[in-house]
């Protein structure tokens, strides 16, 4: 008699939400979610679409690394633990529908809106907010919009601002240590009900999808602007960020992108 291995099919996971670059599934315990990182990339509010091969794996590792470092300095985050190459277990939070943009150097929409030259350092870090609503093109808002529309309270915005500046200070130093200028980035926060209290926690992801990262010496772009602006070598740029942070899935000692080789410390 032929031996037949019985295969127990895994029960399908309940999808909760599908975003442009990530998918959320119901987690194994109440109050948890599985965050799955896709290779899909979009820009200009979904107008430009594509895939960046291996991006999901790299962003999962990069975001895990950065969230853990931020937890170490006391920033509460939704991150619990990594599950596999593309997935992490996170706390289920109620996302505040505001994108928090932190900028150190003029780039992207700031240059367009204010006629600035890309690369101009700002006198001090700048925080801006947009309303997270693709159908409206994520319009820029002031704190007052958030209060008037009931998206966040003044206390919550105070806390978010404080976290955003601390995150900027810390990550600017961390990236500087691996030869990268943290030009700007986007954060999302959520509300977590824990210990009979409501807390603000950092959610979403931090990766080259939502940061501008430039090689310190050459200015070479190591982020999603390579996709937005059709600059090529997109995958290599993401891999280079992972490599410099020491989180490449296959450890590699040498620089990945040729231009970064020029910047290698002698
Ligand atoms: P911006 O210059 O296009 O306003 O973008 C500022 C930063 O925020 C940049 O690092 C990219 C990031 N970002 C996102 O992650 N998602 C978005 O929807 C937008 C508009 C920006
Ligand atoms: N995240 C936005 C989009 O998917 C905008 C961007 O990153 O450029 O379209």
């Amino acid at each position: 008699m032929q031996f037949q291995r019985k295969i127990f099919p895994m029960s399908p996971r309940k999808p909760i939400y599908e975003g442009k670059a990530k998918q959320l599934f119901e987690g194994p315990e109440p109050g948890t979610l599985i965050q799955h990182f896709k290779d899909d990339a979009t820009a200009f509010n979904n107008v430009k679409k594509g895939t960046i091969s291996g991006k999901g794996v790299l962003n999962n590792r990069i975001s895990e690394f950065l969230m853990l470092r931020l937890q170490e300095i006391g920033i509460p985050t939704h991150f619990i633990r990594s599950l596999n190459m593309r997935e992490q277990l996170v706390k289920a939070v109620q996302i505040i529908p505001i994108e928090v943009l932190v900028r150190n150097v003029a780039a992207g929409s700031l240059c367009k809106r204010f006629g600035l030259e890309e690369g101009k350092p700002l006198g001090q870090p700048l925080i801006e907010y947009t309303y997270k609503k693709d159908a409206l093109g994520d319009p820029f808002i002031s704190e007052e919009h958030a209060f008037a529309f009931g998206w966040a309270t003044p206390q919550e915005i105070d806390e978010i601002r404080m976290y955003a500046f601390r995150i900027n200070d810390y990550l600017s130093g961390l990236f500087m240590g691996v030869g990268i200028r943290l030009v700007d980035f986007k954060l999302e926060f959520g509300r977590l009900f824990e210990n009979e209290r409501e807390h603000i926690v950092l959610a979403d992801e931090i990766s080259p999808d939502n940061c501008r990262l430039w090689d310190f010496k050459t200015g070479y772009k190591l982020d999603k602007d390579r996709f937005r602006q059709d600059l090529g070598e997109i995958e290599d740029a993401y891999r280079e960020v992972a490599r410099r942070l020491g989180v490449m899935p296959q450890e590699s000692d040498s620089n990945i992108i040729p231009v970064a080789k020029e910047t290698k410390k002698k």
Side-chain angles (χ1 to χ4, degrees):
M1 204 175 72
Q2 216 185 353
F3 174 75
Q4 274 202 322
R5 204 169 144 222
K6 209 167 181 178
I7 296 172
F8 295 99
M10 284 213 321
S11 57
R13 298 181 302 181
K14 190 175 162 202
I16 301 288
Y17 173 82
E18 175 137 22
K20 287 172 287 191
K22 292 187 297 294
Q23 228 179 326
L24 291 175
F25 297 94
E26 201 173 67
E29 297 126 41
T32 65
L33 294 173
I34 295 169
Q35 181 165 256
H36 177 104
F37 289 75
K38 303 189 285 183
D39 285 349
D40 298 349
T42 67
F44 315 116
N45 290 313
N46 235 347
V47 170
K48 183 177 170 130
K49 292 188 178 82
T51 52
I52 302 174
S53 162
K55 171 173 84 79
V57 172
L58 295 167
N59 281 0
N60 183 29
R61 300 294 283 257
I62 293 169
S63 195
E64 171 193 5
F65 176 80
L66 297 175
M67 289 280 178
L68 287 173
R69 299 291 80 75
L70 290 171
Q71 284 177 8
E72 284 167 5
I73 62 153
I75 307 284
T77 86
H78 73 159
F79 181 84
I80 302 174
R81 66 172 184 276
S82 183
L83 294 173
N84 56 53
M85 296 290 269
R86 284 186 183 269
E87 293 178 333
Q88 46 185 244
L89 189 66
V90 299
K91 295 177 185 171
V93 301
Q94 183 187 71
I95 290 285
I96 295 173
I98 294 174
E99 301 199 339
V100 180
L101 310 180
V102 185
R103 302 177 188 271
N104 298 303
V105 175
S109 75
L110 190 75
C111 294
K112 279 208 196 94
R113 282 176 288 131
F114 295 94
L116 299 175
E117 198 185 319
E118 182 180 73
K120 185 181 159 53
L122 302 176
Q124 60 177 55
L126 172 66
I127 293 199
E128 297 181 307
Y129 307 95
T130 65
Y131 173 41
K132 189 175 153 63
K133 189 84 177 170
D134 276 345
L136 300 175
D138 294 352
F140 279 87
I141 59 165
S142 74
E143 296 184 352
E144 301 294 324
H145 290 85
F147 310 151
F149 295 133
W151 295 326
T153 65
Q155 291 76 13
E156 287 175 331
I157 290 288
D158 278 352
E159 211 168 344
I160 286 171
R161 277 176 65 84
M162 182 194 72
Y163 287 145
F165 279 127
R166 279 181 65 200
I167 292 167
N168 184 43
D169 271 357
Y170 180 79
L171 291 187
S172 292
L174 184 147
F175 278 114
M176 196 185 295
V178 294
I180 291 174
R181 186 187 302 277
L182 178 60
V183 170
D184 59 30
F185 56 99
K186 185 263 292 182
L187 301 173
E188 292 185 27
F189 292 87
R191 297 185 187 95
L192 178 67
F193 300 89
E194 218 173 52
N195 305 326
E196 293 170 23
R197 233 198 91 207
E198 200 174 284
H199 304 263
I200 295 289
V201 302
L202 178 64
D204 193 49
E205 69 175 304
I206 307 181
S207 73
D209 265 12
N210 48 31
C211 299
R212 283 198 175 90
L213 304 168
W214 296 352
D215 180 78
F216 224 97
K217 287 195 185 151
T218 61
Y220 187 92
K221 292 179 179 170
L222 295 165
D223 57 66
K224 203 168 90 173
D225 268 353
R226 304 205 72 78
F227 170 75
R228 294 190 189 96
Q229 301 168 5
D230 296 319
L231 298 176
E233 295 177 318
I234 311 172
E235 290 89 353
D236 286 351
Y238 280 64
R239 285 168 58 212
E240 178 68 12
V241 173
R243 193 195 67 77
R244 290 200 198 181
L245 293 176
V247 298
M248 263 297 279
Q250 290 97 32
E251 209 48 63
S252 154
D253 274 347
S254 49
N255 281 323
I256 290 160
I257 44 174
V259 72
K261 258 183 206 148
E262 292 159 22
T263 72
K264 200 171 179 181
K265 289 198 181 77
K266 289 172 193 105

